[in-house]
Amino acid sequence: MDCIFCAIVAGAAPAAVVYEDDDTLAFMDINPVSQGHVLVVTKEHYRNLYDVDPDAAAAVMRTTVHVARAVRAALQPDGMNLFQSNERAAFQSVFHFHVHIIPRWIGDELRLPPRVQRVEFSVLRGIAARIREHLY
Ligand code: 5GP
Ligand code: ZN
C-alpha cells in the first residue's frame, strides 16, 4: 500500500488510535509538534481539499470537534490550532486528506514549519489513552 494513512486505516501499519467511527479515524501524529498532536483522517482515500467528498470532510470536522475537546480535557493546553495542508507549497507531505489538532501552550514557540522529533509508540499510546478517557 503506497499511502501510509490508508495503511493505518486498514490496520496494516501501526498507530496510536484515539477515536474511530464509520467515516473517520483519529490517531497520534508520529512526529508531534506539541504533546497531544492528533491527526483526523477520512477512511476513504482523498488526496486533499480539492477532491475530498464534502460529506467526508464534514465527518472529519465532526470528529475533530469531538476529539479536540477530549485533548483539552486530558492535557489542559492554553490553546489549540487546527491545521490542514493542501499540496507541497502548503506543507502537505502525506497526500491523504487530514486535519491536524495541535495543542498550544503559552511560550511554546512553535513556528512554521515546526521542528519535530520522533516519539515512540509507547509514549504516544499513553497520551492516546489519556485523551480516550475524555471521549463521551
Ligand atoms: P502534512 O504535512 O501532510 O499536513 O502532515 C502529515 C503528517 O503526518 C505529519 O505531521 C507527519 O508527522 C505525520 N505522519 C507521517 N507519517 C506518519 C505515520 O506513519 N504515522 C503517523 N501517526 N503520522 C505520520
Ligand atoms: Zn490514503
Side-chain angles (χ1 to χ4, degrees), residues 2-7 42-46 94-97:
D2 55 1
C3 173
I4 182 62
F5 290 175
C6 281
T42 51
K43 284 196 166 171
E44 290 260 332
H45 180 88
Y46 300 99
V94 175
F95 293 89
H96 177 130
F97 181 76

Side-chain angles (χ1 to χ4, degrees), residues 27-39 71 75 77 79-85 91 93 98-120 123-124 127:
F27 53 90
M28 307 311 295
D29 195 297
I30 205 165
N31 295 300
V33 305
S34 67
Q35 191 188 49
H37 180 175
V38 175
L39 300 174
V71 170
L75 303 174
M80 198 172 280
N81 284 116
L82 297 184
F83 197 64
Q84 197 278 317
S85 302
F91 309 130
S93 60
H98 58 280
V99 168
H100 297 254
I101 297 171
I102 303 177
R104 300 296 307 273
W105 280 268
I106 290 165
D108 63 18
E109 295 184 348
L110 286 191
R111 293 168 221 294
L112 292 176
R115 269 173 282 130
V116 295
Q117 200 175 4
R118 181 136 183 163
V119 171
E120 294 305 319
V123 175
L124 295 177
I127 296 169

